[in-house]
């Protein structure tokens, strides 16, 4: 699972999301402790021109060949710039959490990504919604 720090360029975070087909990225501090989750939709929100968000029908005026306008909206922003002002509680579980515990944390936080942390709150892994559903549906 890829992680980013707050100073990571937003373009790099967007590339990580796309390359690894992730629903979001876990933002960690310098010691590897998870701080929050940067949802892929938050990247889109900052990247899209405001007129496309206000009225999706206006997005039709941009043809697919000119869709690079999406990344242009990110500019020189960093991950810190993409995070909401009121950061949600970090969804995290211990390494011995059950599937039901993970599902409960995910549902309560409304984030399709949960950090797995050790007793010192250092991230040891992550669980995505897809990964959780794969295990549940076996």
């Amino acid at each position: 699972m890829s992680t980013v720090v707050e100073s990571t360029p937003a373009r790099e975070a967007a590339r990580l999301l796309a390359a690894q087909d992730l629903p979001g990225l876990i933002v960690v501090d310098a010691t590897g402790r998870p701080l929050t989750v940067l949802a892929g939709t938050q990247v889109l929100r900052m990247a899209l021109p405001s007129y496309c968000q206000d009225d999706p029908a206006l997005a039709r005026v941009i043809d697919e060949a000119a869709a690079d306008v999406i990344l242009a909206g990110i500019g020189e922003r960093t991950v810190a710039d993409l995070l909401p002002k009121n950061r949600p509680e970090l969804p995290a579980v211990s390494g011995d959490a059950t599937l039901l515990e993970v599902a409960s944390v995910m549902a309560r936080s409304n984030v399709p990504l949960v950090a797995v942390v050790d007793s010192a709150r250092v991230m040891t892994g992550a669980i995505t919604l897809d990964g959780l559903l794969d295990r549940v549906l076996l």
Side-chain angles (χ1 to χ4, degrees):
M1 168 58 63
S2 291
T3 60
V4 293
V5 293
E6 290 181 312
S7 62
T8 302
R11 285 179 188 272
E12 184 179 325
R15 286 187 186 100
L16 280 171
L17 285 167
Q20 297 183 24
D21 198 25
L22 296 171
L25 297 168
I26 296 176
V27 181
V28 297
D29 67 14
T31 64
R33 286 186 175 85
L35 300 171
T36 191
V37 170
L38 173 64
T41 53
Q42 194 65 31
V43 175
L44 279 179
R45 187 171 291 119
M46 289 298 257
L48 284 174
S50 59
Y51 66 85
C52 289
Q53 294 179 53
D54 294 340
D55 185 357
L58 291 176
R60 284 194 170 277
V61 302
I62 301 173
D63 64 7
E64 294 296 321
D68 60 341
V69 70
I70 292 174
L71 273 184
I74 290 179
E76 299 302 315
R77 291 183 170 115
T78 65
V79 165
D81 297 325
L82 302 180
L83 294 171
K85 298 267 189 263
N86 298 320
R87 293 182 184 175
E89 175 188 338
L90 173 72
V93 296
S94 65
D96 62 352
T98 66
L99 290 175
L100 191 55
E101 285 176 283
V102 175
S104 174
V105 168
M106 217 176 262
R108 185 181 63 224
S109 66
N110 199 29
V111 176
L113 186 62
V114 172
V116 179
V117 296
D118 63 15
S119 60
R121 299 275 304 159
V122 173
M123 191 170 129
T124 59
I127 302 169
T128 64
L129 176 60
D130 287 342
L132 177 67
L133 290 176
D134 284 348
R135 290 292 305 264
V136 170
L137 298 173
L138 284 178

